[in-house]
Amino acid sequence: MKLTAEQIQSNWEIFLDNIKTHIPGNRGEQLTNFYKRYEERIILMPAAHKKEYHSAFPGGYVDHVNRVVRCALKQYELWKEEGCDVTTFTIEELVFSAINHDLGKMGDKDHEAYIPQTDQWRRDKLGEDYMFNKALPFSSVPDRGLFLLQQHDIKYTFNEMIAIQTHDGLYDAANEKYLKAFMPEQKPRTSLPFILHQADMMAARIEFEIEWLPKFSKNSVDTPKKNYTLNSNIKSSKTKALNSMSSPGLKNMLDSL
Ligand SMILES: [Fe+2]
């Protein structure tokens, strides 16, 4: 998918507006200043380095985060309607977690995490328009995001920390300690992590559909070529096998294959 310059610009305005609307006071200002400081980098960032992953195109990151914020607010209404105790977290915590859930994807303050792929073969054959920046020491996305926030003096609540940490749900085995607990006292005391995970999954799935389903439509899928090699192999190996077969029953059975 390709976003126009206007769409990229408009997404960025929506991104900043979400902070303005939902993160009040000093923390909102700090967050706005943080994102404005890294604006040039974040505004064009992809959400992933491979085409097969979601939103791996310029501006894909902000587009994804905005979708997660929208989905999170809609999921909130659904959970509330179904009886979820929404007094255990605030809308501010929900939106803060959604805005920052993938922040670790930006890299650290000096290095971008995704840089343009320099290997043309990998671009053509593997669909990698970006590659990981090897100058960046490894960290999980949630760990790096939380580190960046504290490094820039942006405070987060306990609820926000757990939600950002576990936003990949059980797709990340590291989250089992929070999400696979059997003892009631060890389960999260709020549904915020589940709401954020659902919103993220929903957004990523929809981004996959936008990018890939048209490619799988009838007129777009390549017609498989007749595999002459396989056919001729079967023929010759079958003849060879049949000639050396002593059991007539088995010979008949193989012959009919
Ligand atoms: Fe995400």
Side-chain angles (χ1 to χ4, degrees), residues 42-231:
I42 288 171
I43 205 169
L44 284 175
M45 249 169 69
H49 76 295
K50 265 189 159 189
K51 268 184 198 145
E52 284 78 1
Y53 301 162
H54 67 96
S55 302
F57 49 81
Y61 175 84
V62 175
D63 189 62
H64 169 68
V65 170
N66 288 352
R67 189 171 287 102
V68 174
V69 172
R70 280 199 308 276
C71 293
L73 289 167
K74 288 174 184 166
Q75 287 286 349
Y76 170 87
E77 293 302 328
L78 178 64
W79 281 66
K80 186 177 162 188
E81 204 182 303
E82 287 299 324
C84 163
D85 184 354
V86 291
T87 64
T88 55
F89 65 95
T90 63
I91 298 277
E92 179 183 347
E93 287 180 315
L94 175 69
V95 177
F96 182 93
S97 308
I99 288 173
N100 298 298
H101 79 281
D102 270 343
L103 174 59
K105 288 183 175 178
M106 78 166 248
D108 64 18
K109 67 184 179 63
D110 302 313
H111 306 95
E112 291 179 63
Y114 305 130
I115 52 174
Q117 176 61 262
T118 50
D119 186 328
Q120 193 60 38
W121 186 89
R122 294 192 76 87
R123 271 180 184 263
D124 296 343
K125 303 293 179 197
L126 303 177
E128 293 177 0
D129 289 334
Y130 297 91
M131 60 183 186
F132 282 116
N133 184 356
K134 293 188 185 75
L136 191 67
F138 173 76
S139 157
S140 73
V141 169
D143 285 347
R144 200 189 302 286
L146 289 167
F147 178 78
L148 277 164
L149 289 172
Q150 69 81 32
Q151 190 182 33
H152 293 81
D153 294 322
I154 299 163
K155 287 200 169 143
Y156 44 84
T157 67
F158 181 79
N159 277 348
E160 290 161 352
M161 177 186 76
I162 302 293
I164 291 172
Q165 191 67 255
T166 64
H167 76 264
D168 275 332
L170 288 172
Y171 286 112
D172 183 347
N175 296 331
E176 287 185 6
K177 60 186 178 292
Y178 288 112
L179 306 178
K180 236 180 169 179
F182 295 105
M183 301 296 285
E185 60 270 30
Q186 286 180 9
K187 287 177 191 283
R189 305 283 167 99
T190 161
S191 293
L192 175 60
F194 303 97
I195 297 174
L196 180 64
H197 173 50
Q198 279 193 345
D200 188 30
M201 205 168 51
M202 187 177 175
R205 170 67 206 184
I206 290 164
E207 287 152 17
F208 158 79
E209 292 192 359
I210 295 169
E211 178 77 31
W212 287 96
L213 290 192
K215 294 186 174 77
F216 295 139
S217 69
K218 252 188 181 169
N219 298 332
S220 314
V221 176
D222 294 339
T223 326
K225 290 188 183 80
K226 206 174 173 191
N227 195 332
Y228 293 105
T229 317
L230 185 62
N231 284 345

